[in-house]
Amino acid sequence: MIEPILPAYVVAADTRADLLDGPLFPEEEAVVSRAVGRRRREFTTARVCARDALRRLGRPAAPILPGPAGEPLWPDGVTGSITHCAGYRGAVVGSLADAAAIGVDAEPNEPLPDGVLAAVGLPPERGHVGGLLRAYPSIRWDRLLFSAKESVYKAWFPLVNIRPSFEDAQIDVDPLGEFTARLMAERPLVGGHPLDVLSGRWLVADGIILTAVVVPAAGKAY
Ligand SMILES: CC(C)(COP(=O)(O)OP(=O)(O)OC[C@H]1O[C@@H](n2cnc3c(N)ncnc32)[C@H](O)[C@@H]1OP(=O)(O)O)[C@@H](O)C(=O)NCCC(=O)NCCS
């Protein structure tokens, strides 16, 4: 489902259903040993997806454990991102030779709860969302902005190892399926050059908003 917004050099595996028949590695099992219900299902299904994607990238199965800030720890030479929401679970992986970082996020195409847009959106972003909601009301642009910020965070954090906050990136959503994030805090270095802008893409399908940010390795394009 998420493939159309990804470059060909990364691999995605996603599902609308829970895939609980894939065994967890003992280290992964330890992470969710006290989790029940939704958390266990989403964690397990995302690992099944991640291993399917790794296999298609030509990499062996490996545990995908959370790092100190919750970030997924990928095997050497690999980067990737995981997302889950009601009705969707997915993982995207790529070789570090192709992608310096990846961030993906899924959200229901439903309004954000009251107060969230005001909390996470910068004034220009909120103005833009208002205009898009009037012009294209079938898409929840407030939720799409939120999802874009989540994808930006997931790609940005592993590059700088600092947790950015919502006001640290200004998102500009293009109604045709792309977005940019202008970084106003710690800029990542890729190929020795600081990045001021991250690029992303989005789509809405079957009630799910999907966003992706891919930071290409030096010499590659999104
Ligand atoms: C961490 C966060 C991004 C997770 O997003 P979410 O929409 O709540 O949940 P999702 O299901 O989409 O994603 C969960 C996955 O994110 C990944 N994740 C968690 N922390 C992460 C981090 N620091 N960096 C990268 N990925 C991370 C994990 O793989 C997790 O799945 P897992 O626990 O099964 O491994 C979110 O809780 C958060 O902190 N957002 C802040 C966003 C922000 O500040 N943006 C500002 C920059 S514009």
PDB file of all heavy atoms in Angstrom, residues 39 42-43 46-47 66 69-72 81-85 104-107 146 149-150 152-154 156-158 164-166 169 171, ligand 1:
ATOM      1  N   ARG A  39      -0.793  -3.626  21.709  1.00  0.00           N
ATOM      2  CA  ARG A  39       0.657  -3.399  21.620  1.00  0.00           C
ATOM      3  C   ARG A  39       1.407  -4.654  21.160  1.00  0.00           C
ATOM      4  O   ARG A  39       2.280  -4.612  20.318  1.00  0.00           O
ATOM      5  CB  ARG A  39       1.201  -2.905  22.969  1.00  0.00           C
ATOM      6  CG  ARG A  39       2.704  -2.735  22.996  1.00  0.00           C
ATOM      7  CD  ARG A  39       3.176  -1.705  21.977  1.00  0.00           C
ATOM      8  NE  ARG A  39       4.633  -1.586  21.930  1.00  0.00           N
ATOM      9  CZ  ARG A  39       5.322  -1.327  20.814  1.00  0.00           C
ATOM     10  NH1 ARG A  39       4.696  -1.155  19.660  1.00  0.00           N
ATOM     11  NH2 ARG A  39       6.625  -1.230  20.843  1.00  0.00           N
ATOM     12  N   GLU A  42       0.564  -5.204  17.394  1.00  0.00           N
ATOM     13  CA  GLU A  42       1.207  -4.281  16.447  1.00  0.00           C
ATOM     14  C   GLU A  42       2.721  -4.508  16.411  1.00  0.00           C
ATOM     15  O   GLU A  42       3.340  -4.462  15.348  1.00  0.00           O
ATOM     16  CB  GLU A  42       0.866  -2.808  16.762  1.00  0.00           C
ATOM     17  CG  GLU A  42       1.481  -2.287  18.040  1.00  0.00           C
ATOM     18  CD  GLU A  42       1.129  -0.826  18.349  1.00  0.00           C
ATOM     19  OE1 GLU A  42       0.126  -0.308  17.830  1.00  0.00           O
ATOM     20  OE2 GLU A  42       1.871  -0.217  19.156  1.00  0.00           O
ATOM     21  N   PHE A  43       3.324  -4.777  17.554  1.00  0.00           N
ATOM     22  CA  PHE A  43       4.772  -5.023  17.622  1.00  0.00           C
ATOM     23  C   PHE A  43       5.122  -6.263  16.810  1.00  0.00           C
ATOM     24  O   PHE A  43       6.050  -6.268  15.998  1.00  0.00           O
ATOM     25  CB  PHE A  43       5.180  -5.190  19.091  1.00  0.00           C
ATOM     26  CG  PHE A  43       6.651  -5.427  19.320  1.00  0.00           C
ATOM     27  CD1 PHE A  43       7.511  -4.367  19.582  1.00  0.00           C
ATOM     28  CD2 PHE A  43       7.186  -6.715  19.281  1.00  0.00           C
ATOM     29  CE1 PHE A  43       8.879  -4.582  19.804  1.00  0.00           C
ATOM     30  CE2 PHE A  43       8.542  -6.937  19.493  1.00  0.00           C
ATOM     31  CZ  PHE A  43       9.389  -5.868  19.752  1.00  0.00           C
ATOM     32  N   ALA A  46       4.478  -5.807  13.021  1.00  0.00           N
ATOM     33  CA  ALA A  46       5.510  -4.955  12.414  1.00  0.00           C
ATOM     34  C   ALA A  46       6.813  -5.730  12.235  1.00  0.00           C
ATOM     35  O   ALA A  46       7.536  -5.524  11.249  1.00  0.00           O
ATOM     36  CB  ALA A  46       5.740  -3.712  13.281  1.00  0.00           C
ATOM     37  N   ARG A  47       7.140  -6.633  13.179  1.00  0.00           N
ATOM     38  CA  ARG A  47       8.380  -7.443  13.029  1.00  0.00           C
ATOM     39  C   ARG A  47       8.243  -8.431  11.876  1.00  0.00           C
ATOM     40  O   ARG A  47       9.211  -8.709  11.163  1.00  0.00           O
ATOM     41  CB  ARG A  47       8.714  -8.174  14.334  1.00  0.00           C
ATOM     42  CG  ARG A  47       9.681  -7.421  15.246  1.00  0.00           C
ATOM     43  CD  ARG A  47       9.058  -6.231  15.863  1.00  0.00           C
ATOM     44  NE  ARG A  47      10.011  -5.243  16.338  1.00  0.00           N
ATOM     45  CZ  ARG A  47       9.637  -3.984  16.614  1.00  0.00           C
ATOM     46  NH1 ARG A  47       8.384  -3.593  16.429  1.00  0.00           N
ATOM     47  NH2 ARG A  47      10.513  -3.113  17.021  1.00  0.00           N
ATOM     48  N   PRO A  66      13.974  -2.060  20.112  1.00  0.00           N
ATOM     49  CA  PRO A  66      13.930  -0.608  20.268  1.00  0.00           C
ATOM     50  C   PRO A  66      15.198  -0.083  20.920  1.00  0.00           C
ATOM     51  O   PRO A  66      15.726  -0.683  21.861  1.00  0.00           O
ATOM     52  CB  PRO A  66      12.712  -0.383  21.177  1.00  0.00           C
ATOM     53  CG  PRO A  66      12.517  -1.674  21.901  1.00  0.00           C
ATOM     54  CD  PRO A  66      13.119  -2.769  21.064  1.00  0.00           C
ATOM     55  N   ALA A  69      15.521   5.615  22.632  1.00  0.00           N
ATOM     56  CA  ALA A  69      14.404   6.543  22.406  1.00  0.00           C
ATOM     57  C   ALA A  69      13.254   5.855  21.675  1.00  0.00           C
ATOM     58  O   ALA A  69      12.374   6.528  21.145  1.00  0.00           O
ATOM     59  CB  ALA A  69      14.894   7.757  21.601  1.00  0.00           C
ATOM     60  N   GLY A  70      13.274   4.524  21.635  1.00  0.00           N
ATOM     61  CA  GLY A  70      12.202   3.789  20.969  1.00  0.00           C
ATOM     62  C   GLY A  70      12.462   3.537  19.502  1.00  0.00           C
ATOM     63  O   GLY A  70      11.691   2.847  18.831  1.00  0.00           O
ATOM     64  N   GLU A  71      13.566   4.078  18.995  1.00  0.00           N
ATOM     65  CA  GLU A  71      13.859   3.933  17.559  1.00  0.00           C
ATOM     66  C   GLU A  71      14.205   2.484  17.229  1.00  0.00           C
ATOM     67  O   GLU A  71      14.879   1.818  18.010  1.00  0.00           O
ATOM     68  CB  GLU A  71      15.008   4.867  17.156  1.00  0.00           C
ATOM     69  CG  GLU A  71      16.400   4.448  17.597  1.00  0.00           C
ATOM     70  CD  GLU A  71      16.737   4.772  19.059  1.00  0.00           C
ATOM     71  OE1 GLU A  71      15.831   5.044  19.855  1.00  0.00           O
ATOM     72  OE2 GLU A  71      17.937   4.702  19.402  1.00  0.00           O
ATOM     73  N   PRO A  72      13.759   1.977  16.079  1.00  0.00           N
ATOM     74  CA  PRO A  72      14.096   0.591  15.741  1.00  0.00           C
ATOM     75  C   PRO A  72      15.575   0.465  15.407  1.00  0.00           C
ATOM     76  O   PRO A  72      16.128   1.289  14.680  1.00  0.00           O
ATOM     77  CB  PRO A  72      13.215   0.306  14.505  1.00  0.00           C
ATOM     78  CG  PRO A  72      12.880   1.648  13.936  1.00  0.00           C
ATOM     79  CD  PRO A  72      12.924   2.632  15.068  1.00  0.00           C
ATOM     80  N   SER A  81      12.132   2.060   8.882  1.00  0.00           N
ATOM     81  CA  SER A  81      11.143   2.698   9.746  1.00  0.00           C
ATOM     82  C   SER A  81       9.917   1.801   9.861  1.00  0.00           C
ATOM     83  O   SER A  81       9.614   1.013   8.955  1.00  0.00           O
ATOM     84  CB  SER A  81      10.748   4.061   9.161  1.00  0.00           C
ATOM     85  OG  SER A  81       9.885   4.758  10.023  1.00  0.00           O
ATOM     86  N   ILE A  82       9.239   1.954  10.991  1.00  0.00           N
ATOM     87  CA  ILE A  82       8.066   1.127  11.312  1.00  0.00           C
ATOM     88  C   ILE A  82       6.914   2.044  11.664  1.00  0.00           C
ATOM     89  O   ILE A  82       7.118   3.087  12.297  1.00  0.00           O
ATOM     90  CB  ILE A  82       8.402   0.199  12.512  1.00  0.00           C
ATOM     91  CG1 ILE A  82       9.316  -0.943  12.059  1.00  0.00           C
ATOM     92  CG2 ILE A  82       7.144  -0.341  13.183  1.00  0.00           C
ATOM     93  CD1 ILE A  82       9.854  -1.803  13.197  1.00  0.00           C
ATOM     94  N   THR A  83       5.711   1.654  11.269  1.00  0.00           N
ATOM     95  CA  THR A  83       4.523   2.383  11.732  1.00  0.00           C
ATOM     96  C   THR A  83       3.377   1.411  11.932  1.00  0.00           C
ATOM     97  O   THR A  83       3.332   0.348  11.294  1.00  0.00           O
ATOM     98  CB  THR A  83       4.109   3.498  10.744  1.00  0.00           C
ATOM     99  OG1 THR A  83       3.021   4.241  11.317  1.00  0.00           O
ATOM    100  CG2 THR A  83       3.686   2.942   9.393  1.00  0.00           C
ATOM    101  N   HIS A  84       2.475   1.768  12.847  1.00  0.00           N
ATOM    102  CA  HIS A  84       1.239   1.004  12.987  1.00  0.00           C
ATOM    103  C   HIS A  84       0.134   1.930  13.468  1.00  0.00           C
ATOM    104  O   HIS A  84       0.361   2.847  14.263  1.00  0.00           O
ATOM    105  CB  HIS A  84       1.378  -0.186  13.947  1.00  0.00           C
ATOM    106  CG  HIS A  84       2.590  -0.187  14.857  1.00  0.00           C
ATOM    107  ND1 HIS A  84       2.824   0.769  15.808  1.00  0.00           N
ATOM    108  CD2 HIS A  84       3.624  -1.055  14.940  1.00  0.00           C
ATOM    109  CE1 HIS A  84       3.945   0.483  16.455  1.00  0.00           C
ATOM    110  NE2 HIS A  84       4.468  -0.612  15.928  1.00  0.00           N
ATOM    111  N   CYS A  85      -1.056   1.714  12.930  1.00  0.00           N
ATOM    112  CA  CYS A  85      -2.241   2.393  13.449  1.00  0.00           C
ATOM    113  C   CYS A  85      -3.402   1.427  13.240  1.00  0.00           C
ATOM    114  O   CYS A  85      -3.221   0.365  12.626  1.00  0.00           O
ATOM    115  CB  CYS A  85      -2.486   3.729  12.738  1.00  0.00           C
ATOM    116  SG  CYS A  85      -3.133   3.590  11.058  1.00  0.00           S
ATOM    117  N   VAL A 104       8.447   6.558   8.172  1.00  0.00           N
ATOM    118  CA  VAL A 104       7.107   6.344   7.617  1.00  0.00           C
ATOM    119  C   VAL A 104       6.079   6.424   8.740  1.00  0.00           C
ATOM    120  O   VAL A 104       6.381   6.121   9.901  1.00  0.00           O
ATOM    121  CB  VAL A 104       6.965   4.987   6.872  1.00  0.00           C
ATOM    122  CG1 VAL A 104       7.827   4.981   5.623  1.00  0.00           C
ATOM    123  CG2 VAL A 104       7.290   3.800   7.759  1.00  0.00           C
ATOM    124  N   ASP A 105       4.876   6.850   8.377  1.00  0.00           N
ATOM    125  CA  ASP A 105       3.820   6.970   9.385  1.00  0.00           C
ATOM    126  C   ASP A 105       2.466   6.715   8.748  1.00  0.00           C
ATOM    127  O   ASP A 105       2.221   7.116   7.612  1.00  0.00           O
ATOM    128  CB  ASP A 105       3.832   8.359  10.019  1.00  0.00           C
ATOM    129  CG  ASP A 105       2.872   8.435  11.191  1.00  0.00           C
ATOM    130  OD1 ASP A 105       3.180   7.815  12.240  1.00  0.00           O
ATOM    131  OD2 ASP A 105       1.804   9.070  11.076  1.00  0.00           O
ATOM    132  N   ALA A 106       1.600   6.056   9.508  1.00  0.00           N
ATOM    133  CA  ALA A 106       0.220   5.789   9.071  1.00  0.00           C
ATOM    134  C   ALA A 106      -0.734   6.356  10.100  1.00  0.00           C
ATOM    135  O   ALA A 106      -0.495   6.255  11.311  1.00  0.00           O
ATOM    136  CB  ALA A 106       0.000   4.283   8.935  1.00  0.00           C
ATOM    137  N   GLU A 107      -1.809   6.952   9.617  1.00  0.00           N
ATOM    138  CA  GLU A 107      -2.829   7.526  10.497  1.00  0.00           C
ATOM    139  C   GLU A 107      -4.189   7.300   9.850  1.00  0.00           C
ATOM    140  O   GLU A 107      -4.288   7.270   8.615  1.00  0.00           O
ATOM    141  CB  GLU A 107      -2.633   9.051  10.646  1.00  0.00           C
ATOM    142  CG  GLU A 107      -1.333   9.477  11.287  1.00  0.00           C
ATOM    143  CD  GLU A 107      -1.318   9.302  12.793  1.00  0.00           C
ATOM    144  OE1 GLU A 107      -2.398   9.352  13.416  1.00  0.00           O
ATOM    145  OE2 GLU A 107      -0.219   9.091  13.345  1.00  0.00           O
ATOM    146  N   PHE A 146       0.063  16.115  10.736  1.00  0.00           N
ATOM    147  CA  PHE A 146       0.565  15.415  11.920  1.00  0.00           C
ATOM    148  C   PHE A 146       1.393  14.194  11.506  1.00  0.00           C
ATOM    149  O   PHE A 146       2.503  13.970  12.013  1.00  0.00           O
ATOM    150  CB  PHE A 146      -0.632  14.988  12.775  1.00  0.00           C
ATOM    151  CG  PHE A 146      -0.262  14.243  14.019  1.00  0.00           C
ATOM    152  CD1 PHE A 146       0.180  14.910  15.150  1.00  0.00           C
ATOM    153  CD2 PHE A 146      -0.360  12.852  14.065  1.00  0.00           C
ATOM    154  CE1 PHE A 146       0.526  14.208  16.294  1.00  0.00           C
ATOM    155  CE2 PHE A 146      -0.020  12.152  15.208  1.00  0.00           C
ATOM    156  CZ  PHE A 146       0.413  12.836  16.328  1.00  0.00           C
ATOM    157  N   LYS A 149       4.716  15.114  10.212  1.00  0.00           N
ATOM    158  CA  LYS A 149       5.658  15.447  11.304  1.00  0.00           C
ATOM    159  C   LYS A 149       6.191  14.182  11.975  1.00  0.00           C
ATOM    160  O   LYS A 149       7.344  14.139  12.407  1.00  0.00           O
ATOM    161  CB  LYS A 149       4.975  16.362  12.318  1.00  0.00           C
ATOM    162  CG  LYS A 149       4.717  17.755  11.748  1.00  0.00           C
ATOM    163  CD  LYS A 149       4.668  18.829  12.816  1.00  0.00           C
ATOM    164  CE  LYS A 149       4.556  20.194  12.139  1.00  0.00           C
ATOM    165  NZ  LYS A 149       5.306  21.241  12.833  1.00  0.00           N
ATOM    166  N   GLU A 150       5.363  13.168  12.064  1.00  0.00           N
ATOM    167  CA  GLU A 150       5.832  11.902  12.642  1.00  0.00           C
ATOM    168  C   GLU A 150       6.891  11.252  11.731  1.00  0.00           C
ATOM    169  O   GLU A 150       7.910  10.760  12.204  1.00  0.00           O
ATOM    170  CB  GLU A 150       4.656  10.937  12.837  1.00  0.00           C
ATOM    171  CG  GLU A 150       3.573  11.415  13.794  1.00  0.00           C
ATOM    172  CD  GLU A 150       3.939  11.329  15.256  1.00  0.00           C
ATOM    173  OE1 GLU A 150       4.950  11.933  15.651  1.00  0.00           O
ATOM    174  OE2 GLU A 150       3.208  10.658  16.012  1.00  0.00           O
ATOM    175  N   VAL A 152       8.809  12.796   9.584  1.00  0.00           N
ATOM    176  CA  VAL A 152      10.016  13.634   9.660  1.00  0.00           C
ATOM    177  C   VAL A 152      10.800  13.267  10.917  1.00  0.00           C
ATOM    178  O   VAL A 152      12.020  13.065  10.883  1.00  0.00           O
ATOM    179  CB  VAL A 152       9.632  15.126   9.650  1.00  0.00           C
ATOM    180  CG1 VAL A 152      10.822  15.993  10.052  1.00  0.00           C
ATOM    181  CG2 VAL A 152       9.113  15.525   8.266  1.00  0.00           C
ATOM    182  N   TYR A 153      10.099  13.149  12.028  1.00  0.00           N
ATOM    183  CA  TYR A 153      10.755  12.806  13.296  1.00  0.00           C
ATOM    184  C   TYR A 153      11.490  11.464  13.173  1.00  0.00           C
ATOM    185  O   TYR A 153      12.649  11.328  13.587  1.00  0.00           O
ATOM    186  CB  TYR A 153       9.700  12.740  14.394  1.00  0.00           C
ATOM    187  CG  TYR A 153      10.205  12.329  15.754  1.00  0.00           C
ATOM    188  CD1 TYR A 153      10.538  13.284  16.713  1.00  0.00           C
ATOM    189  CD2 TYR A 153      10.325  10.992  16.096  1.00  0.00           C
ATOM    190  CE1 TYR A 153      10.987  12.902  17.968  1.00  0.00           C
ATOM    191  CE2 TYR A 153      10.779  10.600  17.343  1.00  0.00           C
ATOM    192  CZ  TYR A 153      11.110  11.565  18.277  1.00  0.00           C
ATOM    193  OH  TYR A 153      11.553  11.181  19.510  1.00  0.00           O
ATOM    194  N   LYS A 154      10.811  10.469  12.585  1.00  0.00           N
ATOM    195  CA  LYS A 154      11.402   9.127  12.530  1.00  0.00           C
ATOM    196  C   LYS A 154      12.637   9.075  11.627  1.00  0.00           C
ATOM    197  O   LYS A 154      13.531   8.265  11.853  1.00  0.00           O
ATOM    198  CB  LYS A 154      10.358   8.115  12.051  1.00  0.00           C
ATOM    199  CG  LYS A 154       9.249   7.868  13.065  1.00  0.00           C
ATOM    200  CD  LYS A 154       8.241   6.888  12.490  1.00  0.00           C
ATOM    201  CE  LYS A 154       7.031   6.745  13.387  1.00  0.00           C
ATOM    202  NZ  LYS A 154       6.038   5.821  12.793  1.00  0.00           N
ATOM    203  N   TRP A 156      14.549  11.893  10.995  1.00  0.00           N
ATOM    204  CA  TRP A 156      15.491  12.903  11.519  1.00  0.00           C
ATOM    205  C   TRP A 156      16.216  12.387  12.756  1.00  0.00           C
ATOM    206  O   TRP A 156      17.440  12.518  12.880  1.00  0.00           O
ATOM    207  CB  TRP A 156      14.685  14.155  11.843  1.00  0.00           C
ATOM    208  CG  TRP A 156      15.435  15.424  12.098  1.00  0.00           C
ATOM    209  CD1 TRP A 156      16.789  15.618  12.055  1.00  0.00           C
ATOM    210  CD2 TRP A 156      14.845  16.682  12.413  1.00  0.00           C
ATOM    211  NE1 TRP A 156      17.071  16.927  12.334  1.00  0.00           N
ATOM    212  CE2 TRP A 156      15.902  17.604  12.551  1.00  0.00           C
ATOM    213  CE3 TRP A 156      13.539  17.132  12.594  1.00  0.00           C
ATOM    214  CZ2 TRP A 156      15.673  18.947  12.881  1.00  0.00           C
ATOM    215  CZ3 TRP A 156      13.315  18.462  12.912  1.00  0.00           C
ATOM    216  CH2 TRP A 156      14.378  19.352  13.048  1.00  0.00           C
ATOM    217  N   PHE A 157      15.448  11.781  13.674  1.00  0.00           N
ATOM    218  CA  PHE A 157      16.034  11.388  14.961  1.00  0.00           C
ATOM    219  C   PHE A 157      17.280  10.503  14.813  1.00  0.00           C
ATOM    220  O   PHE A 157      18.330  10.800  15.410  1.00  0.00           O
ATOM    221  CB  PHE A 157      14.992  10.699  15.862  1.00  0.00           C
ATOM    222  CG  PHE A 157      15.608  10.140  17.091  1.00  0.00           C
ATOM    223  CD1 PHE A 157      15.824  10.946  18.205  1.00  0.00           C
ATOM    224  CD2 PHE A 157      16.060   8.827  17.137  1.00  0.00           C
ATOM    225  CE1 PHE A 157      16.459  10.451  19.329  1.00  0.00           C
ATOM    226  CE2 PHE A 157      16.701   8.319  18.257  1.00  0.00           C
ATOM    227  CZ  PHE A 157      16.893   9.142  19.360  1.00  0.00           C
ATOM    228  N   PRO A 158      17.219   9.431  14.016  1.00  0.00           N
ATOM    229  CA  PRO A 158      18.418   8.558  13.965  1.00  0.00           C
ATOM    230  C   PRO A 158      19.633   9.257  13.367  1.00  0.00           C
ATOM    231  O   PRO A 158      20.764   8.834  13.612  1.00  0.00           O
ATOM    232  CB  PRO A 158      17.969   7.391  13.077  1.00  0.00           C
ATOM    233  CG  PRO A 158      16.483   7.430  13.085  1.00  0.00           C
ATOM    234  CD  PRO A 158      16.111   8.865  13.239  1.00  0.00           C
ATOM    235  N   PRO A 164      13.726  15.926  18.064  1.00  0.00           N
ATOM    236  CA  PRO A 164      13.192  17.218  17.651  1.00  0.00           C
ATOM    237  C   PRO A 164      11.777  17.402  18.206  1.00  0.00           C
ATOM    238  O   PRO A 164      11.108  16.419  18.538  1.00  0.00           O
ATOM    239  CB  PRO A 164      13.171  17.131  16.123  1.00  0.00           C
ATOM    240  CG  PRO A 164      13.238  15.695  15.792  1.00  0.00           C
ATOM    241  CD  PRO A 164      13.779  14.964  16.961  1.00  0.00           C
ATOM    242  N   SER A 165      11.343  18.640  18.326  1.00  0.00           N
ATOM    243  CA  SER A 165       9.967  18.868  18.757  1.00  0.00           C
ATOM    244  C   SER A 165       9.158  19.399  17.579  1.00  0.00           C
ATOM    245  O   SER A 165       9.700  19.689  16.509  1.00  0.00           O
ATOM    246  CB  SER A 165       9.918  19.812  19.952  1.00  0.00           C
ATOM    247  OG  SER A 165      10.491  21.025  19.577  1.00  0.00           O
ATOM    248  N   PHE A 166       7.855  19.507  17.796  1.00  0.00           N
ATOM    249  CA  PHE A 166       6.968  19.799  16.674  1.00  0.00           C
ATOM    250  C   PHE A 166       7.283  21.137  16.009  1.00  0.00           C
ATOM    251  O   PHE A 166       7.067  21.305  14.826  1.00  0.00           O
ATOM    252  CB  PHE A 166       5.506  19.750  17.128  1.00  0.00           C
ATOM    253  CG  PHE A 166       5.011  18.342  17.296  1.00  0.00           C
ATOM    254  CD1 PHE A 166       4.848  17.793  18.552  1.00  0.00           C
ATOM    255  CD2 PHE A 166       4.731  17.563  16.183  1.00  0.00           C
ATOM    256  CE1 PHE A 166       4.402  16.488  18.702  1.00  0.00           C
ATOM    257  CE2 PHE A 166       4.286  16.254  16.316  1.00  0.00           C
ATOM    258  CZ  PHE A 166       4.121  15.712  17.584  1.00  0.00           C
ATOM    259  N   ALA A 169      10.404  21.796  12.837  1.00  0.00           N
ATOM    260  CA  ALA A 169      10.356  21.616  11.383  1.00  0.00           C
ATOM    261  C   ALA A 169       9.077  22.250  10.864  1.00  0.00           C
ATOM    262  O   ALA A 169       8.008  22.059  11.452  1.00  0.00           O
ATOM    263  CB  ALA A 169      10.388  20.141  11.010  1.00  0.00           C
ATOM    264  N   ILE A 171       6.455  22.241   7.959  1.00  0.00           N
ATOM    265  CA  ILE A 171       6.029  21.354   6.873  1.00  0.00           C
ATOM    266  C   ILE A 171       5.201  22.143   5.864  1.00  0.00           C
ATOM    267  O   ILE A 171       4.314  22.908   6.241  1.00  0.00           O
ATOM    268  CB  ILE A 171       5.159  20.193   7.426  1.00  0.00           C
ATOM    269  CG1 ILE A 171       5.816  19.519   8.637  1.00  0.00           C
ATOM    270  CG2 ILE A 171       4.829  19.191   6.317  1.00  0.00           C
ATOM    271  CD1 ILE A 171       6.936  18.606   8.354  1.00  0.00           C
TER     272      ILE A 171
HETATM  273  C1  LIG B   1       7.906   8.127  18.354  1.00  0.00           C
HETATM  274  C2  LIG B   1       6.709   8.531  17.530  1.00  0.00           C
HETATM  275  C3  LIG B   1       7.193   9.192  16.237  1.00  0.00           C
HETATM  276  C4  LIG B   1       5.906   7.260  17.165  1.00  0.00           C
HETATM  277  O1  LIG B   1       4.874   7.580  16.259  1.00  0.00           O
HETATM  278  P1  LIG B   1       3.358   7.099  16.490  1.00  0.00           P
HETATM  279  O2  LIG B   1       2.530   7.699  15.400  1.00  0.00           O
HETATM  280  O3  LIG B   1       2.986   7.349  17.901  1.00  0.00           O
HETATM  281  O4  LIG B   1       3.376   5.539  16.312  1.00  0.00           O
HETATM  282  P2  LIG B   1       3.673   4.658  15.029  1.00  0.00           P
HETATM  283  O5  LIG B   1       2.966   3.392  15.227  1.00  0.00           O
HETATM  284  O6  LIG B   1       3.446   5.366  13.743  1.00  0.00           O
HETATM  285  O7  LIG B   1       5.243   4.406  15.141  1.00  0.00           O
HETATM  286  C5  LIG B   1       5.757   3.580  16.145  1.00  0.00           C
HETATM  287  C6  LIG B   1       7.127   3.161  15.728  1.00  0.00           C
HETATM  288  O8  LIG B   1       7.957   4.316  15.652  1.00  0.00           O
HETATM  289  C7  LIG B   1       9.293   3.886  15.793  1.00  0.00           C
HETATM  290  N1  LIG B   1       9.975   4.843  16.665  1.00  0.00           N
HETATM  291  C8  LIG B   1       9.776   5.054  17.974  1.00  0.00           C
HETATM  292  N2  LIG B   1      10.630   6.001  18.423  1.00  0.00           N
HETATM  293  C9  LIG B   1      11.370   6.387  17.362  1.00  0.00           C
HETATM  294  C10 LIG B   1      12.440   7.321  17.204  1.00  0.00           C
HETATM  295  N3  LIG B   1      12.905   8.056  18.219  1.00  0.00           N
HETATM  296  N4  LIG B   1      12.991   7.454  15.980  1.00  0.00           N
HETATM  297  C11 LIG B   1      12.554   6.718  14.926  1.00  0.00           C
HETATM  298  N5  LIG B   1      11.531   5.801  15.024  1.00  0.00           N
HETATM  299  C12 LIG B   1      10.970   5.652  16.239  1.00  0.00           C
HETATM  300  C13 LIG B   1       9.264   2.487  16.414  1.00  0.00           C
HETATM  301  O9  LIG B   1       9.688   1.557  15.446  1.00  0.00           O
HETATM  302  C14 LIG B   1       7.797   2.285  16.742  1.00  0.00           C
HETATM  303  O10 LIG B   1       7.329   0.970  16.547  1.00  0.00           O
HETATM  304  P3  LIG B   1       7.792  -0.234  17.508  1.00  0.00           P
HETATM  305  O11 LIG B   1       7.689   0.290  18.907  1.00  0.00           O
HETATM  306  O12 LIG B   1       6.864  -1.352  17.193  1.00  0.00           O
HETATM  307  O13 LIG B   1       9.223  -0.528  17.103  1.00  0.00           O
HETATM  308  C15 LIG B   1       5.781   9.522  18.291  1.00  0.00           C
HETATM  309  O14 LIG B   1       5.257   8.915  19.433  1.00  0.00           O
HETATM  310  C16 LIG B   1       6.485  10.798  18.660  1.00  0.00           C
HETATM  311  O15 LIG B   1       7.184  10.904  19.646  1.00  0.00           O
HETATM  312  N6  LIG B   1       6.274  11.852  17.871  1.00  0.00           N
HETATM  313  C17 LIG B   1       6.888  13.113  18.018  1.00  0.00           C
HETATM  314  C18 LIG B   1       6.895  13.732  16.650  1.00  0.00           C
HETATM  315  C19 LIG B   1       7.634  15.035  16.676  1.00  0.00           C
HETATM  316  O16 LIG B   1       8.004  15.559  17.708  1.00  0.00           O
HETATM  317  N7  LIG B   1       7.841  15.571  15.521  1.00  0.00           N
HETATM  318  C20 LIG B   1       8.610  16.774  15.470  1.00  0.00           C
HETATM  319  C21 LIG B   1       9.487  16.843  14.258  1.00  0.00           C
HETATM  320  S1  LIG B   1       8.604  17.626  12.992  1.00  0.00           S
END
